[in-house]
Amino acid sequence: MARKDKASNAAQKMKGKAKEATGKLTDDESLESKGKTEQVKGDVKQAGENVKDAFKRGR
């Protein structure tokens, strides 16, 4: 399950980067902002996965 979650988080970050780049190219500040937000969400979720992994290793 962790691999699936990590892949999903990475995909969310990539999607966010694409949205941000598209927003910059089209001068759409809203889309750019949504892309940045999506990247942050992916980072936060990934950090949570890393904490879970560290906890499992510490047991």
Side-chain angles (χ1 to χ4, degrees):
M1 184 71 144
R3 283 188 178 145
K4 182 180 175 186
D5 291 337
K6 288 180 182 180
S8 175
N9 299 339
Q12 184 174 20
K13 286 175 60 174
M14 289 175 58
K15 186 177 171 185
K17 286 183 182 187
K19 281 185 181 180
E20 181 183 4
T22 302
K24 284 182 181 180
L25 286 172
T26 60
D27 202 29
D28 184 343
E29 291 180 6
S30 175
L31 186 59
E32 188 177 343
S33 177
K34 286 178 185 177
K36 288 179 182 181
T37 300
E38 206 161 314
Q39 289 178 65
V40 170
K41 286 181 183 179
D43 285 337
V44 169
K45 288 180 183 179
Q46 188 61 45
E49 289 299 320
N50 291 341
V51 169
K52 283 191 225 177
D53 289 345
F55 181 73
K56 287 178 185 176
R57 284 190 295 260
R59 284 184 155 191

